Amino acid sequence: MQLYYHPLYSDLILAERHRFPIQKYKLLTTEIENLGVSAIHFQEPKKVTVSQLALCHSQRYIDDFLNGTLSDKAIKKMGFPYSQQLVERTLLSIGGSIQAAEAAFSHDLTFNLSGGYHHSHSDFGSGFCIFNDLAIAAAHLINTEQADTVLIFDCDVHQGDGTAQITQNHNQIITCSIHCEQNFPRNKQESTYDFALPAKTADDEYLATLKQALDFCVRIHNPDIILYNAGADIYTKDELGLFNISLNGVYERDLFVLNFCKQHQTPLMCALGGGYQRNLSSLINVHKQLFKAAIDL
């Protein structure tokens, strides 16, 4: 396996009660190392280029973000205070997903220890998502002829509305979102496939849906690579999630996806996605299930 991480992922000054757990990336990296993953597996990402961003985002939006000319309304919708630090972090985290996606063809299984920014639309950021890393990575792989068909398999508790909007006219990018019907965003977009489950969905129903959805998508579309948004916010104690998925249920989800791709010899790139608990230790433990599953393969 190969993992992409940069210290800037957690190097963002936010208000004390800000909802986004920015420290989780740094803390998770330490926990992954404690699981026995050697430092040799960690790679430092390079920044995404403007031309790569432009595969999925309007030039005006890109310029406004990079030049600091976003409106106050746009910044509020984005969810982060604007700073040059935010620009640097964003460019590196998007670059990490692109590089991890490329590396999956030679390493089979890769991770960006950030990413899953699926609420970002073509011309605005939303819900802590500025640019849509998985859509950009998919478009880049297709644009550079590294892949013909890419499946974005989104298991964050919130619908991948931005991903659906960006890729709606891109037939080579297949989007599948398994999410809570009653959760953010209020106005859903139309993915290639949407599996909207009710609030309080528990392990059995969730895992049955997951297995059917992934098997169906792969049988029908035979993707060259899968980009997996492994959101930790499906967990029952997540403060912005409405599912009743146990910690073992999160592990079983991740293990199934990883093992399915291994059995089908399909390259897999994983992004962390959402996870929202004030108790950072508990949150890290949920995200850690993905890496425990990788070790247990």
Side-chain angles (χ1 to χ4, degrees):
M1 76 174 95
Q2 198 164 64
L3 306 95
Y4 286 80
Y5 170 75
H6 195 285
L8 278 182
Y9 285 4
S10 279
D11 190 16
L12 192 61
I13 298 172
L14 299 174
E16 186 177 346
R17 298 297 293 172
H18 195 281
R19 200 65 207 71
F20 194 83
I22 195 68
Q23 290 300 316
K24 72 177 184 179
Y25 305 106
K26 179 180 179 180
L27 297 172
L28 179 62
T29 301
T30 300
E31 286 297 312
I32 294 169
E33 291 172 340
N34 290 341
L35 288 173
V37 177
S38 169
I40 197 171
H41 295 288
F42 287 83
Q43 305 293 321
E44 192 167 288
K46 300 174 184 176
K47 294 178 186 178
V48 62
T49 66
V50 171
S51 60
Q52 288 171 332
L53 292 174
L55 292 170
C56 293
H57 295 281
S58 73
Q59 193 62 52
R60 180 175 179 178
Y61 173 51
I62 295 168
D63 290 343
D64 280 346
F65 179 73
L66 296 180
N67 298 329
T69 52
L70 288 170
S71 68
D72 290 344
K73 182 179 179 181
I75 292 172
K76 183 177 180 181
K77 189 173 184 67
M78 191 171 69
F80 290 123
Y82 185 84
S83 67
Q84 190 57 40
Q85 186 184 34
L86 177 65
V87 173
E88 294 296 305
R89 178 192 181 275
T90 298
L91 298 180
L92 283 166
S93 62
I94 305 299
S97 286
I98 295 171
Q99 288 169 262
E102 290 185 313
F105 289 106
S106 53
H107 292 270
D108 298 328
L109 175 61
T110 60
F111 303 85
N112 183 20
L113 300 182
S114 179
Y117 300 129
H118 60 170
H119 297 310
S120 170
H121 287 58
S122 57
D123 57 354
F124 65 89
S126 175
F128 310 131
C129 302
I130 298 166
F131 295 121
N132 197 308
D133 62 309
L134 296 187
I136 295 167
H140 170 75
L141 293 177
I142 292 165
N143 189 55
T144 54
E145 300 184 343
Q146 296 179 70
D148 183 60
T149 304
V150 179
L151 169 62
I152 299 177
F153 193 62
D154 192 336
C155 294
D156 192 280
V157 77
H158 307 103
Q159 195 217 23
D161 57 330
T163 308
Q165 180 265 323
I166 286 172
T167 63
Q168 59 188 341
N169 296 317
H170 206 312
N171 295 331
Q172 291 169 271
I173 302 175
I174 311 304
T175 57
C176 178
S177 180
I178 304 175
H179 55 268
C180 179
E181 185 174 13
Q182 290 88 352
N183 214 322
F184 179 88
R186 179 181 299 175
N187 298 319
K188 307 292 193 289
Q189 299 289 325
E190 188 173 337
S191 310
T192 313
Y193 305 104
D194 282 300
F195 294 85
L197 297 172
K200 299 186 179 180
T201 292
D203 290 15
D204 289 349
E205 181 182 0
Y206 182 87
L207 292 170
T209 302
L210 172 92
K211 293 172 182 179
Q212 292 169 8
L214 184 56
D215 181 70
F216 176 82
C217 288
V218 171
R219 279 193 295 110
I220 296 299
H221 299 284
N222 191 28
D224 299 303
I225 184 172
I226 295 174
L227 309 182
Y228 174 41
N229 186 352
D233 46 13
I234 66 166
Y235 180 51
T236 185
K237 293 183 180 179
D238 194 90
E239 291 152 22
L240 297 183
L242 298 174
F243 282 161
N244 287 345
I245 309 298
S246 70
L247 190 64
N248 186 64
V250 176
Y251 171 82
E252 290 294 335
R253 176 199 68 175
D254 293 338
L255 184 64
F256 177 81
V257 173
L258 270 58
N259 192 52
F260 183 95
C261 291
K262 181 179 180 180
Q263 295 298 320
H264 287 76
Q265 297 182 312
T266 304
L268 176 65
M269 175 265 169
C270 308
L272 287 188
Y276 306 93
Q277 296 182 62
R278 297 288 185 191
N279 184 330
L280 280 178
S281 177
S282 177
L283 173 58
I284 297 309
N285 197 34
V286 184
H287 278 298
K288 193 167 69 173
Q289 301 310 304
L290 176 64
F291 303 94
K292 290 177 68 175
I295 291 169
D296 291 344
L297 275 181

